[in-house]
Amino acid sequence: MTAPAPAVHEIRPRRVGFEWESTPLQWVPGEAVTSHVINVLHMLFPAGERWFVHVYKQALPLIEDQQLRADVKGFMGQEAVHSRAHAAVLDHLRANGLNPDPYVRRIEWMFGTLLGDDSMRFIPRRRWLLERVAIIAAIEHFTAVLGAWVLVSPALDAAGADPTMLDLLRWHGAEEVEHLSVAFDVFRAVHDSWFSRIRTMVVSAAMMAYLWRRGMRFLCAADPTYIGPAPKFRDFHRAARKGLLPLPQDLALAIPRYCGKAYHPSHEADTQVALDYLATSPAAVAAAA
C-alpha cells in the first residue's frame, strides 16, 4: 500500500499559466493517437470541473465538519483553475486548425443539462444533489488514479513529449492526488450509501469510457495533420504497453477497488510525491512567485 495522505494539509489553488505557442497538436512525437487520447481531457475538464464547483456550492451547507469544509473550499478553488487551464488548451487547438467545439458542446450539454439542477424533477431535489455528489466522488477516483500514473511514468519524457503539456498534466495530476480524499469524504459525510457508491461508479466508469473513445476518434478526425485510419482500442493498448498511457487493466481494477466496503482513497497514491512535484513544477513555481 502507498503512504496515506498527511493528517493536516492546506489544499489551496495555484494560479498557474501556460504558454502554448510552441506546442504541436501531436505533442508526443510520432504518437498522434497517444497525443489525442490525452487531449480528450482538455475537452472534458472545463465543463466537468465547473460542474463540480457548482454542485459543491450547493452541498457545502450540508457539511458540518469544519476541516472538511475548508478542504472543500480549497478543492473548489483548484477545480476552477483546472477548468481554465484546460480551456486555454482548447483555444490553442482552435488556433492550429483543430475545432473542438462540436464535441465540447456535447460535454457542456451533458454537465449543464443532463446533470443539471432541474434534469431529474421526478425525484426530490436533495436526493438528486446527493446523487451528483456521489458521481463526483466516483469521477475523482479515476482522476486520482490518472494523476498518480502521470506523476511517476517516465515514458512520456523518454518519448520527447512537449514539456509544457507534461507540466500541465503533472501539475493537474499532482493536485488531484493532493485532494484525492476530499470528494470521497464529502460523499461519506452527506450520503454514505454503499449501494449509491457502486451504482454511481458503474455509471461514471461507463460514461467516461464512452466519452474517451468518442473523443479520441473525434480529435483524430478533426486534426488536419493526422494521417491514418480511425483509432481503435488496440492503438490505446499499444501505447499503454509502451508506458505512454495507463494500462487498461489498471483502470479496470480501479473499479472494484473503489467498491470495496473498506475502501478509502488515502491509500490510492502517495501525497508526498504530488507535493514534491508541485514544489518543482515550472508553472506552480512561477505562480508562487
Side-chain angles (χ1 to χ4, degrees), residues 1-8 140-141 144-145 148 176-185 188 197 257-258 262-273:
M1 279 191 176
T2 53
V8 178
E140 280 290 298
H141 173 64
V145 170
E176 292 298 328
V177 172
E178 182 184 28
H179 67 227
L180 86 172
S181 296
V182 173
F184 188 81
D185 288 344
R188 288 204 311 180
R197 176 156 38 121
R257 190 163 67 246
Y258 179 83
Y263 172 80
H264 189 269
S266 58
H267 293 286
E268 194 64 51
D270 189 341
T271 306
Q272 192 57 52
V273 172

Side-chain angles (χ1 to χ4, degrees), residues 155-167:
L156 288 169
D157 302 87
D162 178 75
T164 303
M165 187 66 77
L166 272 184
D167 189 34

Side-chain angles (χ1 to χ4, degrees), residues 230-270:
K232 301 183 183 301
F233 177 76
R234 63 173 175 264
D235 299 309
F236 185 109
H237 199 265
R238 175 193 59 80
R241 289 198 307 270
K242 295 166 67 174
L244 299 172
L245 295 171
L247 289 167
Q249 55 265 39
D250 289 343
L251 296 175
L253 287 172
I255 298 172
R257 190 163 67 246
Y258 179 83
C259 293
K261 284 192 173 181
Y263 172 80
H264 189 269
S266 58
H267 293 286
E268 194 64 51
D270 189 341

Side-chain angles (χ1 to χ4, degrees), residues 134-192:
I135 291 172
I136 292 173
I139 295 173
E140 280 290 298
H141 173 64
F142 282 111
T143 59
V145 170
L146 294 173
W149 171 80
V150 77
L151 280 172
V152 300
S153 177
L156 288 169
D157 302 87
D162 178 75
T164 303
M165 187 66 77
L166 272 184
D167 189 34
L168 167 68
L169 296 172
R170 287 176 173 157
W171 154 76
H172 188 163
E175 291 199 342
E176 292 298 328
V177 172
E178 182 184 28
H179 67 227
L180 86 172
S181 296
V182 173
F184 188 81
D185 288 344
V186 170
F187 165 70
R188 288 204 311 180
V190 304
H191 184 51
D192 191 12

